[in-house]
Amino acid sequence: MKSYRKELYFNLPTRRAYVNITSQVQQCINESGVKEGLVLVNAMNITASVFVNDDESGLHQDFEKWLENLAPEKPHNQYNHNGYEDNADAHLKRQIMGREVVAAVTNGKLDFGTWEQIFYGEYDGKREKRVLVKIIGE
Amino acid sequence: MKSYRKELYFNLPTRRAYVNITSQVQQCINESGVKEGLVLVNAMNITASVFVNDDESGLHQDFEKWLENLAPEKPHNQYNHNGYEDNADAHLKRQIMGREVVAAVTNGKLDFGTWEQIFYGEYDGKREKRVLVKIIGE
Amino acid sequence: MKSYRKELYFNLPTRRAYVNITSQVQQCINESGVKEGLVLVNAMNITASVFVNDDESGLHQDFEKWLENLAPEKPHNQYNHNGYEDNADAHLKRQIMGREVVAAVTNGKLDFGTWEQIFYGEYDGKREKRVLVKIIGE
């Protein structure tokens, strides 16, 4: 069994943002030499998300509006977590969007449907954050 | 290490529906010959979901009502994604319900609690959709 | 390839509660002898959750308030599932919080970011519930 590990780094200029990381994950699979296996991609920070959805800017605007409705950032003092911090909403938003994606590796490629793309979802940006890519297989 | 791959196909007559796919996933495990490992089951379309919950029709009616409240289908023009499409709500609903399930395979069986069942959740049906089953182990 | 399986047991005195199980999962990894691989941690009951977030009591109070707003327990008769049961809200809450966590094992350790902790989330307690830990790797 082969295994592979890499960290991806992000430092986004806005509090919230979406970054398509599909090609970076495929590059990891290439480097790993794994032809058949599983790839785990997870946020290492608990105010961020990794998920699969559509690479369409209108939808990303819908995510922003929808998540702000379900778990609004402000007022900050509506959350007990925000005594010394202001990011409780980010911890909640990431529960809806998810921490991780597990995807199949088949014949050395991400085994995806036509429109599947992997995104890093940032909910508390303006500082360095990390994503872990772990691959196991043969 | 063994690996196995299969696609399941769905073409449901309604926009939203739930299908219990537990026995189909167990059949894949049987075909794979894997006794100890992991099985990944994921929607290959980004307006559908794979998740584990109860096979109880009242609960599925509750899902319908609850998701329509959290991410209503209509009016279609409330979503930026819906310029040429009408399925933004399906992209949002699937974030709550989840893209994938990873389950343990133990002694050749889905290693499940008493009431765990795997469902395909359709949020934009009336056309062919796919689910990927990938199994690795020994 | 090595594989390992263990069940963790919970019997919590309240309907809803959060328990940090990170050290128990690390103990499983130690027992497994796996140095490089994946660990799956999933609720075996469909009214409970396993997820990764912050070990901060204010945030857990925010989870309680937030989930009660998105999927209120009462009135029980608002849900079709609640003919003979009263836990439909628990089935819904667990969809937001998630059934499972898949984490990387690297050099025999949970490969986590600084603040990542694994929680068992109980939404229908006062009875015995189970969590499955399955590890594969080498």
Side-chain angles (χ1 to χ4, degrees):
Chain A
M1 198 197 79
K2 290 178 179 173
S3 71
Y4 171 95
R5 177 193 195 275
K6 190 170 190 175
E7 292 181 11
L8 309 179
Y9 292 86
F10 302 86
N11 196 330
L12 300 173
T14 53
R15 183 172 172 113
R16 289 186 288 276
Y18 296 103
V19 180
N20 187 331
I21 60 173
T22 313
S23 64
Q24 290 180 75
V25 174
Q26 180 60 54
Q27 179 61 33
C28 290
I29 295 171
N30 297 347
E31 292 173 7
S32 75
V34 169
K35 298 301 181 189
E36 298 293 326
L38 295 177
V39 52
L40 166 69
V41 188
N42 70 264
M44 299 185 78
N45 297 82
I46 50 187
T47 52
S49 178
V50 172
F51 65 94
V52 168
N53 216 309
D54 200 358
D55 196 354
E56 198 279 307
S57 61
L59 182 65
H60 299 180
Q61 293 164 24
D62 294 330
F63 284 149
E64 167 65 17
K65 184 179 171 187
W66 183 61
L67 291 171
E68 270 297 282
N69 183 50
L70 293 179
E73 178 192 339
K74 297 177 183 176
H76 291 145
N77 68 4
Q78 74 188 295
Y79 298 112
N80 290 316
H81 180 62
N82 284 346
Y84 298 91
E85 303 198 71
D86 67 2
N87 63 4
D89 69 299
H91 289 278
L92 302 182
K93 288 176 168 99
R94 101 80 159 247
Q95 288 302 131
I96 289 178
M97 299 302 279
R99 167 189 181 259
E100 78 214 13
V101 167
V102 177
V105 178
T106 301
N107 200 22
K109 301 291 183 191
L110 268 175
D111 195 339
F112 266 7
T114 309
W115 300 103
E116 286 191 287
Q117 297 284 307
I118 307 177
F119 288 89
Y120 173 70
E122 177 63 83
Y123 303 109
D124 187 27
K126 304 180 188 175
R127 52 202 178 93
E128 190 173 89
K129 310 285 274 278
R130 291 182 291 159
V131 163
L132 178 65
V133 181
K134 183 89 179 188
I135 303 166
I136 68 168
E138 282 189 346
Chain B
M1 198 197 79
K2 289 178 180 174
S3 71
Y4 170 95
R5 178 193 194 276
K6 189 170 192 175
E7 291 180 10
L8 309 179
Y9 291 85
F10 302 87
N11 196 333
L12 300 174
T14 53
R15 182 172 171 113
R16 290 187 287 277
Y18 296 102
V19 180
N20 187 332
I21 60 172
T22 313
S23 64
Q24 291 180 75
V25 174
Q26 180 60 54
Q27 180 60 32
C28 290
I29 296 171
N30 297 347
E31 293 173 7
S32 75
V34 169
K35 298 300 180 188
E36 297 294 326
L38 296 177
V39 52
L40 166 69
V41 188
N42 70 265
M44 300 185 78
N45 298 81
I46 50 187
T47 51
S49 178
V50 172
F51 65 94
V52 168
N53 215 310
D54 200 0
D55 196 355
E56 198 279 307
S57 62
L59 182 65
H60 299 180
Q61 294 164 23
D62 293 330
F63 283 150
E64 167 65 16
K65 184 179 171 188
W66 184 61
L67 291 171
E68 270 296 282
N69 183 49
L70 294 179
E73 178 192 339
K74 297 176 182 176
H76 291 145
N77 67 4
Q78 74 188 295
Y79 299 112
N80 290 315
H81 181 62
N82 285 346
Y84 297 91
E85 303 198 73
D86 67 1
N87 63 4
D89 70 299
H91 290 277
L92 302 182
K93 288 177 169 98
R94 100 81 159 246
Q95 289 302 131
I96 289 178
M97 299 302 279
R99 167 189 181 259
E100 78 214 14
V101 166
V102 177
V105 178
T106 301
N107 199 22
K109 301 291 183 191
L110 268 174
D111 196 339
F112 266 6
T114 310
W115 300 102
E116 285 191 286
Q117 297 283 308
I118 308 176
F119 288 89
Y120 174 70
E122 178 64 83
Y123 303 109
D124 187 27
K126 305 180 188 174
R127 51 200 178 97
E128 191 172 87
K129 310 286 274 279
R130 290 182 292 159
V131 163
L132 178 65
V133 181
K134 183 89 179 187
I135 304 166
I136 68 168
E138 281 189 348
Chain C
M1 199 197 79
K2 289 179 181 175
S3 71
Y4 171 94
R5 178 194 194 276
K6 190 170 190 175
E7 292 181 10
L8 310 179
Y9 291 85
F10 302 87
N11 196 331
L12 300 174
T14 53
R15 183 172 171 113
R16 290 187 287 276
Y18 296 103
V19 180
N20 188 331
I21 61 173
T22 313
S23 63
Q24 290 180 77
V25 174
Q26 179 61 54
Q27 180 61 31
C28 290
I29 296 171
N30 297 347
E31 293 173 7
S32 75
V34 169
K35 298 300 182 189
E36 298 293 327
L38 295 176
V39 52
L40 166 69
V41 188
N42 69 263
M44 299 185 78
N45 298 82
I46 51 187
T47 52
S49 178
V50 172
F51 66 94
V52 168
N53 215 310
D54 200 359
D55 196 354
E56 199 278 306
S57 62
L59 181 65
H60 299 179
Q61 294 164 23
D62 293 330
F63 283 149
E64 167 65 16
K65 183 179 170 187
W66 183 61
L67 291 170
E68 270 296 283
N69 183 50
L70 293 179
E73 178 192 340
K74 296 177 182 174
H76 291 145
N77 68 4
Q78 74 188 294
Y79 299 111
N80 289 315
H81 180 63
N82 285 346
Y84 297 91
E85 302 199 74
D86 67 1
N87 63 3
D89 70 299
H91 289 278
L92 302 182
K93 288 176 170 99
R94 100 81 159 247
Q95 288 302 131
I96 289 180
M97 299 302 279
R99 166 188 181 260
E100 78 214 13
V101 166
V102 177
V105 178
T106 300
N107 199 22
K109 301 291 183 191
L110 268 175
D111 195 340
F112 266 6
T114 310
W115 300 103
E116 286 191 285
Q117 297 284 307
I118 308 176
F119 289 89
Y120 173 71
E122 178 63 83
Y123 304 109
D124 186 28
K126 304 180 189 175
R127 52 201 178 95
E128 190 172 88
K129 310 285 274 276
R130 291 182 291 160
V131 164
L132 178 65
V133 181
K134 183 88 179 188
I135 302 166
I136 67 168
E138 280 189 349

